[in-house]
Amino acid sequence: MARRGTISGPLRRHAHLAMAVLVLLAWSLASDGWAGALFLPVWILATQLIVAGSLEAARLRRRAWLGQYLRDDSPWRRWLQGGALMVLRHQLVGALLALVLLVDLRLLALTEWPLLLAALPLLVVSRNGLRRRLSRHVVAEHLPAVTRRLVTLPIAALLALAMVLAALWLPQPWLVGLGWEEAIARHLSAGESGGLLGFFERLAASAELLRQWAMQNTVERFHLATPVAVLGWLVLLLTQGAVAWAYVRLLVGAEALRREGRAPRGLPTGEPAAANDRETRA
């Protein structure tokens, strides 16, 4: 019974993360008809998860700035703490990141999904380890939010690097000697997705084919290896980096929505967090 409780405890604490990943996986592997029908609800859900994490980080920065320069009784605190304009800006950026993520997931090879799945336990372990280290230094009220903000960039960078390396390993279509129109006709699958999702999928697939076609033909036929190769891999790194950033931000948003950042009752907000806080235990 004790062992079962030891196992079920972490599962319950991280069920929200597993649920978010399972929804993305199920949607990305669904048929074109189902994926198209559920595209808008999944897009809205992914957007709100991303926005939850980005708003938490933005408000944390804003509170730190206000606390440094303004008095506690100043009415400017209420006016400058972030309102509708901040929310609107993060909604627009979150919608764009969610769109990039969802479209890429539909085009992602199944062999690359283990990288996304591995990012989940890596995020949890990194978060818990960093939280234990910071618990003696950071105010308890802000400890979870600060920890989430600090782990986001390293995890996203590692995931982006892993996805770029996977792109090097996976086979690519041979486009040397083909015209752009011929390459599109041969290698761009029309698919069955219609409507908005189908349009974005074809647009993303065309952009990826354009990158590969430009790199292969300029390197093989015009011997412009160094500058074009560097540009091509830079575009690939930026693309995969945007996907990894959106994915990690979505997981961080799921954590933020779970409201782990509330300080324990009875603990003054100026006190350092206890080292054995239950949130530091995986």
mmCIF file with all atom_site columns, all heavy atoms in Angstrom, residues 59-78:
data_model
loop_
_atom_site.group_PDB
_atom_site.id
_atom_site.type_symbol
_atom_site.label_atom_id
_atom_site.label_alt_id
_atom_site.label_comp_id
_atom_site.label_asym_id
_atom_site.label_entity_id
_atom_site.label_seq_id
_atom_site.pdbx_PDB_ins_code
_atom_site.Cartn_x
_atom_site.Cartn_y
_atom_site.Cartn_z
_atom_site.occupancy
_atom_site.B_iso_or_equiv
_atom_site.pdbx_formal_charge
_atom_site.auth_seq_id
_atom_site.auth_comp_id
_atom_site.auth_asym_id
_atom_site.auth_atom_id
_atom_site.pdbx_PDB_model_num
ATOM 1   N N   . ARG A 1 59 ? 4.018  39.062 -15.600 1.00 0.00 ? 59 ARG A N   1
ATOM 2   C CA  . ARG A 1 59 ? 3.563  39.724 -14.376 1.00 0.00 ? 59 ARG A CA  1
ATOM 3   C C   . ARG A 1 59 ? 4.598  39.646 -13.272 1.00 0.00 ? 59 ARG A C   1
ATOM 4   O O   . ARG A 1 59 ? 4.703  40.554 -12.441 1.00 0.00 ? 59 ARG A O   1
ATOM 5   C CB  . ARG A 1 59 ? 2.237  39.103 -13.931 1.00 0.00 ? 59 ARG A CB  1
ATOM 6   C CG  . ARG A 1 59 ? 1.066  39.543 -14.809 1.00 0.00 ? 59 ARG A CG  1
ATOM 7   C CD  . ARG A 1 59 ? -0.166 38.728 -14.572 1.00 0.00 ? 59 ARG A CD  1
ATOM 8   N NE  . ARG A 1 59 ? -1.299 39.255 -15.351 1.00 0.00 ? 59 ARG A NE  1
ATOM 9   C CZ  . ARG A 1 59 ? -2.398 38.571 -15.621 1.00 0.00 ? 59 ARG A CZ  1
ATOM 10  N NH1 . ARG A 1 59 ? -2.533 37.329 -15.152 1.00 0.00 ? 59 ARG A NH1 1
ATOM 11  N NH2 . ARG A 1 59 ? -3.358 39.118 -16.335 1.00 0.00 ? 59 ARG A NH2 1
ATOM 12  N N   . LEU A 1 60 ? 5.375  38.557 -13.260 1.00 0.00 ? 60 LEU A N   1
ATOM 13  C CA  . LEU A 1 60 ? 6.452  38.460 -12.278 1.00 0.00 ? 60 LEU A CA  1
ATOM 14  C C   . LEU A 1 60 ? 7.497  39.537 -12.533 1.00 0.00 ? 60 LEU A C   1
ATOM 15  O O   . LEU A 1 60 ? 7.969  40.198 -11.589 1.00 0.00 ? 60 LEU A O   1
ATOM 16  C CB  . LEU A 1 60 ? 7.097  37.071 -12.354 1.00 0.00 ? 60 LEU A CB  1
ATOM 17  C CG  . LEU A 1 60 ? 8.194  36.762 -11.332 1.00 0.00 ? 60 LEU A CG  1
ATOM 18  C CD1 . LEU A 1 60 ? 7.610  36.727 -9.935  1.00 0.00 ? 60 LEU A CD1 1
ATOM 19  C CD2 . LEU A 1 60 ? 8.869  35.440 -11.663 1.00 0.00 ? 60 LEU A CD2 1
ATOM 20  N N   . ARG A 1 61 ? 7.853  39.750 -13.804 1.00 0.00 ? 61 ARG A N   1
ATOM 21  C CA  . ARG A 1 61 ? 8.800  40.822 -14.126 1.00 0.00 ? 61 ARG A CA  1
ATOM 22  C C   . ARG A 1 61 ? 8.217  42.196 -13.795 1.00 0.00 ? 61 ARG A C   1
ATOM 23  O O   . ARG A 1 61 ? 8.918  43.074 -13.278 1.00 0.00 ? 61 ARG A O   1
ATOM 24  C CB  . ARG A 1 61 ? 9.171  40.761 -15.608 1.00 0.00 ? 61 ARG A CB  1
ATOM 25  C CG  . ARG A 1 61 ? 9.973  39.543 -16.014 1.00 0.00 ? 61 ARG A CG  1
ATOM 26  C CD  . ARG A 1 61 ? 10.539 39.701 -17.408 1.00 0.00 ? 61 ARG A CD  1
ATOM 27  N NE  . ARG A 1 61 ? 9.489  39.904 -18.397 1.00 0.00 ? 61 ARG A NE  1
ATOM 28  C CZ  . ARG A 1 61 ? 8.906  38.926 -19.081 1.00 0.00 ? 61 ARG A CZ  1
ATOM 29  N NH1 . ARG A 1 61 ? 9.263  37.665 -18.859 1.00 0.00 ? 61 ARG A NH1 1
ATOM 30  N NH2 . ARG A 1 61 ? 7.972  39.192 -19.981 1.00 0.00 ? 61 ARG A NH2 1
ATOM 31  N N   . ARG A 1 62 ? 6.925  42.380 -14.096 1.00 0.00 ? 62 ARG A N   1
ATOM 32  C CA  . ARG A 1 62 ? 6.314  43.677 -13.840 1.00 0.00 ? 62 ARG A CA  1
ATOM 33  C C   . ARG A 1 62 ? 6.247  43.968 -12.339 1.00 0.00 ? 62 ARG A C   1
ATOM 34  O O   . ARG A 1 62 ? 6.491  45.093 -11.907 1.00 0.00 ? 62 ARG A O   1
ATOM 35  C CB  . ARG A 1 62 ? 4.915  43.702 -14.449 1.00 0.00 ? 62 ARG A CB  1
ATOM 36  C CG  . ARG A 1 62 ? 4.176  45.031 -14.297 1.00 0.00 ? 62 ARG A CG  1
ATOM 37  C CD  . ARG A 1 62 ? 4.873  46.141 -15.076 1.00 0.00 ? 62 ARG A CD  1
ATOM 38  N NE  . ARG A 1 62 ? 4.935  45.865 -16.501 1.00 0.00 ? 62 ARG A NE  1
ATOM 39  C CZ  . ARG A 1 62 ? 3.985  46.182 -17.371 1.00 0.00 ? 62 ARG A CZ  1
ATOM 40  N NH1 . ARG A 1 62 ? 2.887  46.801 -16.959 1.00 0.00 ? 62 ARG A NH1 1
ATOM 41  N NH2 . ARG A 1 62 ? 4.133  45.902 -18.647 1.00 0.00 ? 62 ARG A NH2 1
ATOM 42  N N   . ARG A 1 63 ? 5.902  42.957 -11.539 1.00 0.00 ? 63 ARG A N   1
ATOM 43  C CA  . ARG A 1 63 ? 5.856  43.173 -10.090 1.00 0.00 ? 63 ARG A CA  1
ATOM 44  C C   . ARG A 1 63 ? 7.230  43.523 -9.538  1.00 0.00 ? 63 ARG A C   1
ATOM 45  O O   . ARG A 1 63 ? 7.359  44.363 -8.639  1.00 0.00 ? 63 ARG A O   1
ATOM 46  C CB  . ARG A 1 63 ? 5.301  41.936 -9.386  1.00 0.00 ? 63 ARG A CB  1
ATOM 47  C CG  . ARG A 1 63 ? 3.794  41.778 -9.497  1.00 0.00 ? 63 ARG A CG  1
ATOM 48  C CD  . ARG A 1 63 ? 3.295  40.779 -8.473  1.00 0.00 ? 63 ARG A CD  1
ATOM 49  N NE  . ARG A 1 63 ? 3.859  39.464 -8.689  1.00 0.00 ? 63 ARG A NE  1
ATOM 50  C CZ  . ARG A 1 63 ? 3.279  38.510 -9.400  1.00 0.00 ? 63 ARG A CZ  1
ATOM 51  N NH1 . ARG A 1 63 ? 2.105  38.739 -9.978  1.00 0.00 ? 63 ARG A NH1 1
ATOM 52  N NH2 . ARG A 1 63 ? 3.842  37.334 -9.551  1.00 0.00 ? 63 ARG A NH2 1
ATOM 53  N N   . ALA A 1 64 ? 8.263  42.861 -10.069 1.00 0.00 ? 64 ALA A N   1
ATOM 54  C CA  . ALA A 1 64 ? 9.618  43.167 -9.602  1.00 0.00 ? 64 ALA A CA  1
ATOM 55  C C   . ALA A 1 64 ? 10.001 44.597 -9.960  1.00 0.00 ? 64 ALA A C   1
ATOM 56  O O   . ALA A 1 64 ? 10.607 45.316 -9.153  1.00 0.00 ? 64 ALA A O   1
ATOM 57  C CB  . ALA A 1 64 ? 10.612 42.176 -10.216 1.00 0.00 ? 64 ALA A CB  1
ATOM 58  N N   . TRP A 1 65 ? 9.631  45.047 -11.153 1.00 0.00 ? 65 TRP A N   1
ATOM 59  C CA  . TRP A 1 65 ? 9.946  46.412 -11.575 1.00 0.00 ? 65 TRP A CA  1
ATOM 60  C C   . TRP A 1 65 ? 9.190  47.436 -10.730 1.00 0.00 ? 65 TRP A C   1
ATOM 61  O O   . TRP A 1 65 ? 9.759  48.429 -10.270 1.00 0.00 ? 65 TRP A O   1
ATOM 62  C CB  . TRP A 1 65 ? 9.597  46.576 -13.048 1.00 0.00 ? 65 TRP A CB  1
ATOM 63  C CG  . TRP A 1 65 ? 9.985  47.905 -13.609 1.00 0.00 ? 65 TRP A CG  1
ATOM 64  C CD1 . TRP A 1 65 ? 11.188 48.258 -14.134 1.00 0.00 ? 65 TRP A CD1 1
ATOM 65  C CD2 . TRP A 1 65 ? 9.152  49.071 -13.695 1.00 0.00 ? 65 TRP A CD2 1
ATOM 66  N NE1 . TRP A 1 65 ? 11.161 49.572 -14.550 1.00 0.00 ? 65 TRP A NE1 1
ATOM 67  C CE2 . TRP A 1 65 ? 9.927  50.104 -14.296 1.00 0.00 ? 65 TRP A CE2 1
ATOM 68  C CE3 . TRP A 1 65 ? 7.829  49.353 -13.331 1.00 0.00 ? 65 TRP A CE3 1
ATOM 69  C CZ2 . TRP A 1 65 ? 9.415  51.366 -14.537 1.00 0.00 ? 65 TRP A CZ2 1
ATOM 70  C CZ3 . TRP A 1 65 ? 7.326  50.618 -13.563 1.00 0.00 ? 65 TRP A CZ3 1
ATOM 71  C CH2 . TRP A 1 65 ? 8.110  51.607 -14.167 1.00 0.00 ? 65 TRP A CH2 1
ATOM 72  N N   . LEU A 1 66 ? 7.897  47.182 -10.511 1.00 0.00 ? 66 LEU A N   1
ATOM 73  C CA  . LEU A 1 66 ? 7.100  48.113 -9.708  1.00 0.00 ? 66 LEU A CA  1
ATOM 74  C C   . LEU A 1 66 ? 7.592  48.167 -8.267  1.00 0.00 ? 66 LEU A C   1
ATOM 75  O O   . LEU A 1 66 ? 7.631  49.233 -7.650  1.00 0.00 ? 66 LEU A O   1
ATOM 76  C CB  . LEU A 1 66 ? 5.627  47.708 -9.755  1.00 0.00 ? 66 LEU A CB  1
ATOM 77  C CG  . LEU A 1 66 ? 4.927  47.824 -11.116 1.00 0.00 ? 66 LEU A CG  1
ATOM 78  C CD1 . LEU A 1 66 ? 3.498  47.316 -11.022 1.00 0.00 ? 66 LEU A CD1 1
ATOM 79  C CD2 . LEU A 1 66 ? 4.962  49.253 -11.628 1.00 0.00 ? 66 LEU A CD2 1
ATOM 80  N N   . GLY A 1 67 ? 7.947  47.009 -7.726  1.00 0.00 ? 67 GLY A N   1
ATOM 81  C CA  . GLY A 1 67 ? 8.436  46.983 -6.360  1.00 0.00 ? 67 GLY A CA  1
ATOM 82  C C   . GLY A 1 67 ? 9.755  47.695 -6.185  1.00 0.00 ? 67 GLY A C   1
ATOM 83  O O   . GLY A 1 67 ? 10.072 48.164 -5.086  1.00 0.00 ? 67 GLY A O   1
ATOM 84  N N   . GLN A 1 68 ? 10.523 47.800 -7.249  1.00 0.00 ? 68 GLN A N   1
ATOM 85  C CA  . GLN A 1 68 ? 11.819 48.467 -7.168  1.00 0.00 ? 68 GLN A CA  1
ATOM 86  C C   . GLN A 1 68 ? 11.693 49.982 -7.225  1.00 0.00 ? 68 GLN A C   1
ATOM 87  O O   . GLN A 1 68 ? 12.466 50.697 -6.582  1.00 0.00 ? 68 GLN A O   1
ATOM 88  C CB  . GLN A 1 68 ? 12.722 47.980 -8.310  1.00 0.00 ? 68 GLN A CB  1
ATOM 89  C CG  . GLN A 1 68 ? 14.123 48.563 -8.280  1.00 0.00 ? 68 GLN A CG  1
ATOM 90  C CD  . GLN A 1 68 ? 14.999 47.988 -9.365  1.00 0.00 ? 68 GLN A CD  1
ATOM 91  O OE1 . GLN A 1 68 ? 14.536 47.197 -10.179 1.00 0.00 ? 68 GLN A OE1 1
ATOM 92  N NE2 . GLN A 1 68 ? 16.260 48.381 -9.395  1.00 0.00 ? 68 GLN A NE2 1
ATOM 93  N N   . TYR A 1 69 ? 10.707 50.477 -7.976  1.00 0.00 ? 69 TYR A N   1
ATOM 94  C CA  . TYR A 1 69 ? 10.652 51.910 -8.244  1.00 0.00 ? 69 TYR A CA  1
ATOM 95  C C   . TYR A 1 69 ? 9.462  52.627 -7.601  1.00 0.00 ? 69 TYR A C   1
ATOM 96  O O   . TYR A 1 69 ? 9.509  53.846 -7.433  1.00 0.00 ? 69 TYR A O   1
ATOM 97  C CB  . TYR A 1 69 ? 10.611 52.166 -9.754  1.00 0.00 ? 69 TYR A CB  1
ATOM 98  C CG  . TYR A 1 69 ? 11.897 51.787 -10.452 1.00 0.00 ? 69 TYR A CG  1
ATOM 99  C CD1 . TYR A 1 69 ? 11.964 50.634 -11.215 1.00 0.00 ? 69 TYR A CD1 1
ATOM 100 C CD2 . TYR A 1 69 ? 13.034 52.587 -10.334 1.00 0.00 ? 69 TYR A CD2 1
ATOM 101 C CE1 . TYR A 1 69 ? 13.144 50.282 -11.859 1.00 0.00 ? 69 TYR A CE1 1
ATOM 102 C CE2 . TYR A 1 69 ? 14.207 52.239 -10.970 1.00 0.00 ? 69 TYR A CE2 1
ATOM 103 C CZ  . TYR A 1 69 ? 14.260 51.077 -11.737 1.00 0.00 ? 69 TYR A CZ  1
ATOM 104 O OH  . TYR A 1 69 ? 15.430 50.726 -12.357 1.00 0.00 ? 69 TYR A OH  1
ATOM 105 N N   . LEU A 1 70 ? 8.383  51.924 -7.267  1.00 0.00 ? 70 LEU A N   1
ATOM 106 C CA  . LEU A 1 70 ? 7.179  52.596 -6.778  1.00 0.00 ? 70 LEU A CA  1
ATOM 107 C C   . LEU A 1 70 ? 6.908  52.258 -5.317  1.00 0.00 ? 70 LEU A C   1
ATOM 108 O O   . LEU A 1 70 ? 7.196  51.150 -4.855  1.00 0.00 ? 70 LEU A O   1
ATOM 109 C CB  . LEU A 1 70 ? 5.967  52.197 -7.636  1.00 0.00 ? 70 LEU A CB  1
ATOM 110 C CG  . LEU A 1 70 ? 6.001  52.621 -9.108  1.00 0.00 ? 70 LEU A CG  1
ATOM 111 C CD1 . LEU A 1 70 ? 4.710  52.209 -9.798  1.00 0.00 ? 70 LEU A CD1 1
ATOM 112 C CD2 . LEU A 1 70 ? 6.220  54.130 -9.245  1.00 0.00 ? 70 LEU A CD2 1
ATOM 113 N N   . ARG A 1 71 ? 6.305  53.202 -4.621  1.00 0.00 ? 71 ARG A N   1
ATOM 114 C CA  . ARG A 1 71 ? 5.893  52.966 -3.249  1.00 0.00 ? 71 ARG A CA  1
ATOM 115 C C   . ARG A 1 71 ? 4.691  52.042 -3.217  1.00 0.00 ? 71 ARG A C   1
ATOM 116 O O   . ARG A 1 71 ? 3.919  51.943 -4.187  1.00 0.00 ? 71 ARG A O   1
ATOM 117 C CB  . ARG A 1 71 ? 5.542  54.300 -2.576  1.00 0.00 ? 71 ARG A CB  1
ATOM 118 C CG  . ARG A 1 71 ? 6.708  55.261 -2.450  1.00 0.00 ? 71 ARG A CG  1
ATOM 119 C CD  . ARG A 1 71 ? 6.213  56.642 -2.079  1.00 0.00 ? 71 ARG A CD  1
ATOM 120 N NE  . ARG A 1 71 ? 5.432  56.603 -0.847  1.00 0.00 ? 71 ARG A NE  1
ATOM 121 C CZ  . ARG A 1 71 ? 5.919  56.836 0.366   1.00 0.00 ? 71 ARG A CZ  1
ATOM 122 N NH1 . ARG A 1 71 ? 7.212  57.137 0.496   1.00 0.00 ? 71 ARG A NH1 1
ATOM 123 N NH2 . ARG A 1 71 ? 5.151  56.799 1.437   1.00 0.00 ? 71 ARG A NH2 1
ATOM 124 N N   . ASP A 1 72 ? 4.497  51.377 -2.065  1.00 0.00 ? 72 ASP A N   1
ATOM 125 C CA  . ASP A 1 72 ? 3.389  50.433 -1.940  1.00 0.00 ? 72 ASP A CA  1
ATOM 126 C C   . ASP A 1 72 ? 2.029  51.118 -2.049  1.00 0.00 ? 72 ASP A C   1
ATOM 127 O O   . ASP A 1 72 ? 1.065  50.517 -2.527  1.00 0.00 ? 72 ASP A O   1
ATOM 128 C CB  . ASP A 1 72 ? 3.487  49.680 -0.610  1.00 0.00 ? 72 ASP A CB  1
ATOM 129 C CG  . ASP A 1 72 ? 4.690  48.760 -0.565  1.00 0.00 ? 72 ASP A CG  1
ATOM 130 O OD1 . ASP A 1 72 ? 5.202  48.415 -1.657  1.00 0.00 ? 72 ASP A OD1 1
ATOM 131 O OD2 . ASP A 1 72 ? 5.122  48.402 0.537   1.00 0.00 ? 72 ASP A OD2 1
ATOM 132 N N   . ASP A 1 73 ? 1.940  52.374 -1.596  1.00 0.00 ? 73 ASP A N   1
ATOM 133 C CA  . ASP A 1 73 ? 0.655  53.061 -1.600  1.00 0.00 ? 73 ASP A CA  1
ATOM 134 C C   . ASP A 1 73 ? 0.431  53.897 -2.859  1.00 0.00 ? 73 ASP A C   1
ATOM 135 O O   . ASP A 1 73 ? -0.531 54.666 -2.940  1.00 0.00 ? 73 ASP A O   1
ATOM 136 C CB  . ASP A 1 73 ? 0.534  53.955 -0.367  1.00 0.00 ? 73 ASP A CB  1
ATOM 137 C CG  . ASP A 1 73 ? 1.693  54.960 -0.272  1.00 0.00 ? 73 ASP A CG  1
ATOM 138 O OD1 . ASP A 1 73 ? 2.649  54.833 -1.078  1.00 0.00 ? 73 ASP A OD1 1
ATOM 139 O OD2 . ASP A 1 73 ? 1.629  55.848 0.600   1.00 0.00 ? 73 ASP A OD2 1
ATOM 140 N N   . SER A 1 74 ? 1.273  53.774 -3.853  1.00 0.00 ? 74 SER A N   1
ATOM 141 C CA  . SER A 1 74 ? 1.129  54.573 -5.067  1.00 0.00 ? 74 SER A CA  1
ATOM 142 C C   . SER A 1 74 ? 0.004  54.012 -5.941  1.00 0.00 ? 74 SER A C   1
ATOM 143 O O   . SER A 1 74 ? -0.052 52.798 -6.193  1.00 0.00 ? 74 SER A O   1
ATOM 144 C CB  . SER A 1 74 ? 2.437  54.575 -5.863  1.00 0.00 ? 74 SER A CB  1
ATOM 145 O OG  . SER A 1 74 ? 2.254  55.193 -7.131  1.00 0.00 ? 74 SER A OG  1
ATOM 146 N N   . PRO A 1 75 ? -0.909 54.866 -6.442  1.00 0.00 ? 75 PRO A N   1
ATOM 147 C CA  . PRO A 1 75 ? -1.955 54.377 -7.357  1.00 0.00 ? 75 PRO A CA  1
ATOM 148 C C   . PRO A 1 75 ? -1.400 53.929 -8.701  1.00 0.00 ? 75 PRO A C   1
ATOM 149 O O   . PRO A 1 75 ? -2.085 53.231 -9.449  1.00 0.00 ? 75 PRO A O   1
ATOM 150 C CB  . PRO A 1 75 ? -2.879 55.590 -7.509  1.00 0.00 ? 75 PRO A CB  1
ATOM 151 C CG  . PRO A 1 75 ? -2.016 56.774 -7.196  1.00 0.00 ? 75 PRO A CG  1
ATOM 152 C CD  . PRO A 1 75 ? -1.044 56.299 -6.161  1.00 0.00 ? 75 PRO A CD  1
ATOM 153 N N   . TRP A 1 76 ? -0.169 54.315 -9.019  1.00 0.00 ? 76 TRP A N   1
ATOM 154 C CA  . TRP A 1 76 ? 0.425  53.882 -10.276 1.00 0.00 ? 76 TRP A CA  1
ATOM 155 C C   . TRP A 1 76 ? 0.626  52.370 -10.315 1.00 0.00 ? 76 TRP A C   1
ATOM 156 O O   . TRP A 1 76 ? 0.711  51.786 -11.401 1.00 0.00 ? 76 TRP A O   1
ATOM 157 C CB  . TRP A 1 76 ? 1.779  54.565 -10.468 1.00 0.00 ? 76 TRP A CB  1
ATOM 158 C CG  . TRP A 1 76 ? 1.656  56.021 -10.806 1.00 0.00 ? 76 TRP A CG  1
ATOM 159 C CD1 . TRP A 1 76 ? 0.516  56.776 -10.827 1.00 0.00 ? 76 TRP A CD1 1
ATOM 160 C CD2 . TRP A 1 76 ? 2.722  56.898 -11.162 1.00 0.00 ? 76 TRP A CD2 1
ATOM 161 N NE1 . TRP A 1 76 ? 0.780  58.063 -11.165 1.00 0.00 ? 76 TRP A NE1 1
ATOM 162 C CE2 . TRP A 1 76 ? 2.147  58.179 -11.388 1.00 0.00 ? 76 TRP A CE2 1
ATOM 163 C CE3 . TRP A 1 76 ? 4.092  56.757 -11.314 1.00 0.00 ? 76 TRP A CE3 1
ATOM 164 C CZ2 . TRP A 1 76 ? 2.898  59.280 -11.741 1.00 0.00 ? 76 TRP A CZ2 1
ATOM 165 C CZ3 . TRP A 1 76 ? 4.856  57.856 -11.678 1.00 0.00 ? 76 TRP A CZ3 1
ATOM 166 C CH2 . TRP A 1 76 ? 4.270  59.094 -11.895 1.00 0.00 ? 76 TRP A CH2 1
ATOM 167 N N   . ARG A 1 77 ? 0.739  51.744 -9.151  1.00 0.00 ? 77 ARG A N   1
ATOM 168 C CA  . ARG A 1 77 ? 0.894  50.290 -9.120  1.00 0.00 ? 77 ARG A CA  1
ATOM 169 C C   . ARG A 1 77 ? -0.269 49.603 -9.823  1.00 0.00 ? 77 ARG A C   1
ATOM 170 O O   . ARG A 1 77 ? -0.076 48.671 -10.605 1.00 0.00 ? 77 ARG A O   1
ATOM 171 C CB  . ARG A 1 77 ? 0.992  49.792 -7.676  1.00 0.00 ? 77 ARG A CB  1
ATOM 172 C CG  . ARG A 1 77 ? 2.371  49.883 -7.079  1.00 0.00 ? 77 ARG A CG  1
ATOM 173 C CD  . ARG A 1 77 ? 2.383  49.286 -5.687  1.00 0.00 ? 77 ARG A CD  1
ATOM 174 N NE  . ARG A 1 77 ? 3.739  49.181 -5.182  1.00 0.00 ? 77 ARG A NE  1
ATOM 175 C CZ  . ARG A 1 77 ? 4.548  48.147 -5.349  1.00 0.00 ? 77 ARG A CZ  1
ATOM 176 N NH1 . ARG A 1 77 ? 4.127  47.108 -6.040  1.00 0.00 ? 77 ARG A NH1 1
ATOM 177 N NH2 . ARG A 1 77 ? 5.768  48.153 -4.846  1.00 0.00 ? 77 ARG A NH2 1
ATOM 178 N N   . ARG A 1 78 ? -1.476 50.066 -9.538  1.00 0.00 ? 78 ARG A N   1
ATOM 179 C CA  . ARG A 1 78 ? -2.661 49.452 -10.142 1.00 0.00 ? 78 ARG A CA  1
ATOM 180 C C   . ARG A 1 78 ? -2.721 49.713 -11.644 1.00 0.00 ? 78 ARG A C   1
ATOM 181 O O   . ARG A 1 78 ? -3.113 48.868 -12.418 1.00 0.00 ? 78 ARG A O   1
ATOM 182 C CB  . ARG A 1 78 ? -3.917 49.986 -9.452  1.00 0.00 ? 78 ARG A CB  1
ATOM 183 C CG  . ARG A 1 78 ? -5.210 49.326 -9.944  1.00 0.00 ? 78 ARG A CG  1
ATOM 184 C CD  . ARG A 1 78 ? -6.426 49.840 -9.189  1.00 0.00 ? 78 ARG A CD  1
ATOM 185 N NE  . ARG A 1 78 ? -6.697 51.256 -9.474  1.00 0.00 ? 78 ARG A NE  1
ATOM 186 C CZ  . ARG A 1 78 ? -6.403 52.249 -8.659  1.00 0.00 ? 78 ARG A CZ  1
ATOM 187 N NH1 . ARG A 1 78 ? -5.815 52.018 -7.497  1.00 0.00 ? 78 ARG A NH1 1
ATOM 188 N NH2 . ARG A 1 78 ? -6.676 53.518 -8.982  1.00 0.00 ? 78 ARG A NH2 1
#
